[in-house]
Amino acid sequence: MKHNVLLVEDDESIAEMVESHLLKEGFIVKVAYDGEEAVHTFLNDSFDIILLDLMLPKLDGMTFMKIIREKSLIPILIMSAKDSDVDKALGLGFGADDYISKPFSMIELTARVKAAIRRATDYTQSKREEGKNFLQIGNLQVDLSNYSVVKNGEKLQLTAKEFNILKLFVQNPSRVYTKEQIYNLIWHEDYYGDENIINVHIRRIREKIEENPSSPQYIKTLWGIGYKLGEF
């Protein structure tokens, strides 16, 4: 997969050198030579990283970063010869992720670009995984990663077995489970027809998560068959 780079550099010789090298490394590069052009280019295309010189005509690099950070968390790698500007950009909340001092080697620049894109990709993947582990079911917020359930802002105290039974239903919302299947999947033991243990756990879960345990909405009973998650 080729990554898209927005290169913002007013020095044409530097821009040409960086662009040529990154193209050889397999990147897709668009160049903007001033801050206003950079904003326009960013808003009209999709990029994986921005390489930014801070000393720009029309719109300076600091202001450009403020505009970008209002819209995106894209990695921004500063290319600058002035350490004072770099310190401001990194330390005053302007939103830069990394910097490289001019003059720099193309090998180092490529390594920094790849590292920044990799970090951003890993972060995005991590957030996606977090999203998969966090489920909203009616008024319940079920966090599968830390075994917690919150109802209307209040954290519920479920035992491990109770949570695992609830997790079974919320991860498989259309599936009906018999008592035997629940026992096998949660206790990891053979079922010998003792319904009481399942009945007790379902009742306790309902007492904690249902508005009215006598008329459950979350865990529905299918008489003679088993249980399933209610529809929301």
Side-chain angles (χ1 to χ4, degrees), residues 30-232:
K30 284 197 174 181
V31 183
Y33 296 98
D34 63 65
E36 290 183 357
E37 182 186 4
V39 172
H40 177 79
T41 303
F42 178 81
L43 294 177
N44 286 278
D45 209 334
S46 177
F47 297 96
D48 298 296
I49 190 170
I50 298 172
L51 306 186
L52 177 65
D53 177 27
L54 294 176
M55 305 298 290
L56 297 170
K58 296 188 179 180
L59 187 74
D60 66 85
M62 299 289 192
T63 304
F64 170 76
M65 275 195 291
K66 286 183 180 180
I67 294 172
I68 298 307
R69 278 294 172 254
E70 290 175 356
K71 303 177 182 298
S72 173
L73 293 175
I74 183 174
I76 299 176
L77 171 60
I78 296 172
M79 306 179 300
S80 176
K82 294 181 63 177
D83 290 341
S84 59
D85 286 337
V86 171
D87 289 341
K88 287 181 184 179
L90 294 175
L92 298 180
F94 284 95
D97 296 272
D98 196 2
Y99 78 96
I100 187 168
S101 298
K102 293 181 179 178
F104 47 78
S105 74
M106 290 297 101
I107 293 175
E108 182 184 2
L109 177 67
T110 303
R112 294 288 187 89
V113 169
K114 290 180 178 178
I117 292 174
R118 184 174 62 253
R119 286 194 300 269
T121 302
D122 290 345
Y123 176 80
T124 301
Q125 182 62 33
S126 173
K127 287 300 180 183
R128 285 175 181 163
E129 291 302 319
E130 286 181 19
K132 290 178 183 177
N133 289 329
F134 186 85
L135 301 173
Q136 180 80 39
I137 310 292
N139 292 327
L140 298 180
Q141 297 172 336
V142 183
D143 190 334
L144 304 178
S145 60
N146 66 12
Y147 279 59
S148 69
V149 180
V150 175
K151 178 184 176 184
N152 296 327
E154 179 183 353
K155 188 172 182 178
L156 306 181
Q157 299 300 319
L158 273 67
T159 67
K161 285 288 193 295
E162 291 167 356
F163 183 88
N164 283 326
I165 292 171
L166 179 61
K167 176 182 176 181
L168 185 66
F169 289 116
V170 299
Q171 287 188 312
N172 304 276
S174 62
R175 182 170 173 180
V176 178
Y177 287 95
T178 66
K179 292 177 181 179
E180 180 178 359
Q181 288 172 328
I182 295 172
Y183 191 86
N184 291 338
L185 290 167
I186 303 302
W187 275 263
H188 305 290
E189 298 175 1
D190 291 333
Y191 180 69
Y192 295 106
D194 183 5
E195 296 185 352
N196 189 53
I197 190 169
I198 302 298
N199 294 341
V200 169
H201 278 79
I202 294 294
R203 185 179 74 246
R204 287 177 177 169
I205 295 170
R206 284 172 169 168
E207 288 172 352
K208 295 175 180 180
I209 69 173
E210 301 282 0
E211 295 292 338
N212 181 2
S214 299
S215 180
Q217 300 301 309
Y218 291 100
I219 299 180
K220 308 285 275 186
T221 299
L222 280 71
W223 295 106
I225 303 174
Y227 303 95
K228 74 180 296 290
L229 189 72
E231 295 182 1
F232 292 90

